[in-house]
Amino acid sequence: MKTLSNQKLTIRVAEHGAELSGIVANATGKEYLWQADPAFWKRHSPVLFPIVGSVWNAEYRYAGVTYPLSQHGFARDMDFTLERETANELLFVLEDTADTLRVYPFPFRLEIGYRLTENRVEVLWRVRNRGERTMHFQIGAHPAFYYPDYVAERPERGYMAFDVKEGLVYRALREKGCVGDEVRPVPLDPDGLLPLNIHTFDIDTFILENSQIRRVDLLDLEKRLVLSLCFTAPVVGLWSPPRKNAPFVCIEPWYGRCDRAGYTGSYEERDWVWHLEPGEVFDASYTIEIAL
């Protein structure tokens, strides 16, 4: 476990999965990132690569070959190498192995960086195609944050605010972790907020596509700001384990999304897949800002 600290925050990052594992306010000792109690969910903030979500029937097809691949890919379950460490930044690297090539036939270099500035944690992604043919991939984040006002016996949890106040729609999961064609309105209240309560995520995941929003704020029951995520990803997922009364909620910027239910086409033609020519690089990032 590696640590970065400044006057305001301390963060912890594990080499396993290059996973952000803690965000603590130094003045109060308050932990903002979910601490992976397996009774609800055993992760903190996994990196999703080379897919986001599920492929139909846990397999996909490319160049006439069918490959098995489990939900969210393999990067979250592999050991990264720490390549650089400074006073305010960590950089972890994962490259293809014989095992990854058996399920994902593309040589790659994946860099995951964390930069701490004041009350902000910037998460940096870089994907490089190390092969000799076009590489197809997705990448995403899955950070989980404690509800600001969690009491197991009380149904209310807080609110989410967005940089858009009306007209938001989400795509619903249908079966086997994959989506259907139906889109529904996000159930915003008259103030344009999404109320968070024990039943909000009975639908499982809100998947907002097409760059509808660039910012999500987590608010307490008094509608005071707790933290914000800012991103440029075109898809974002909002999730908490359905019907588990879990103490946390996830805000997930994605360059990707699960398959449509029943999809049996080629891997590179899936929805929200990114493409890199040999030697090309994909860069992206998102920022977590803690309201101190």
Side-chain angles (χ1 to χ4, degrees), residues 10-232:
T10 296
I11 68 170
R12 303 183 305 278
V13 184
E15 293 187 19
H16 186 71
E19 185 174 2
L20 183 64
S21 301
I23 305 174
V24 174
N26 294 334
T28 62
K30 181 179 180 178
E31 173 67 75
Y32 288 82
L33 201 66
W34 168 244
Q35 288 302 290
D37 179 351
F40 296 101
W41 190 54
K42 67 178 183 179
R43 303 180 189 269
H44 307 271
S45 180
V47 175
L48 316 181
F49 177 88
I51 60 169
V52 172
S54 299
V55 289
W56 182 247
N57 286 332
E59 62 183 25
Y60 69 94
R61 292 140 297 280
Y62 175 73
V65 179
T66 298
Y67 296 91
L69 195 56
S70 58
Q71 185 186 45
H72 295 319
F74 48 73
R76 62 182 182 168
D77 294 317
M78 298 187 70
D79 290 331
F80 283 62
T81 299
L82 179 65
E83 184 167 275
R84 186 170 69 247
E85 181 176 5
T86 69
N88 69 334
E89 189 170 340
L90 298 168
L91 179 67
F92 298 86
V93 174
L94 178 69
E95 294 187 342
D96 55 278
T97 67
D99 287 339
T100 69
L101 291 169
R102 278 192 282 270
V103 298
Y104 179 68
F106 302 100
F108 67 87
R109 176 181 169 92
L110 172 61
E111 300 178 6
I112 307 296
Y114 297 93
R115 181 181 297 141
L116 183 60
T117 306
E118 297 291 329
N119 61 329
R120 299 183 303 279
V121 183
E122 186 177 6
V123 184
L124 310 162
W125 295 327
R126 170 168 285 186
V127 181
R128 182 183 298 276
N129 181 357
R130 300 197 320 128
E132 297 179 353
R133 58 182 173 179
T134 306
M135 173 182 166
H136 314 287
F137 73 97
Q138 298 173 325
I139 190 168
H142 203 317
F145 304 99
Y146 283 104
Y147 279 123
D149 289 305
Y150 176 81
V151 177
E153 296 75 24
R154 184 176 62 197
E156 295 81 16
R157 302 285 181 259
Y159 299 86
M160 279 182 179
F162 310 100
D163 53 337
V164 173
K165 299 294 185 183
E166 59 185 9
L168 297 178
V169 296
Y170 73 97
R171 191 176 295 275
L173 292 175
R174 197 175 84 185
E175 58 181 305
K176 297 181 181 179
C178 295
V179 297
D181 292 328
E182 180 185 6
V183 294
R184 305 169 182 170
V186 177
L188 303 178
D189 70 11
D191 295 324
L193 304 177
L194 175 63
L196 302 175
N197 58 56
I198 196 171
H199 294 298
T200 300
F201 295 96
D202 286 353
I203 57 94
D204 197 303
T205 309
F206 293 89
I207 301 174
L208 283 72
E209 300 177 293
N210 300 314
S211 300
Q212 294 180 69
I213 56 176
R214 299 291 195 189
R215 179 184 174 111
V216 179
D217 297 331
L218 183 60
L219 312 180
D220 67 15
L221 284 171
E222 301 300 320
K223 301 182 180 179
R224 294 171 297 202
L225 180 64
V226 176
L227 59 86
S228 303
L229 257 75
C230 297
F231 48 88
T232 57

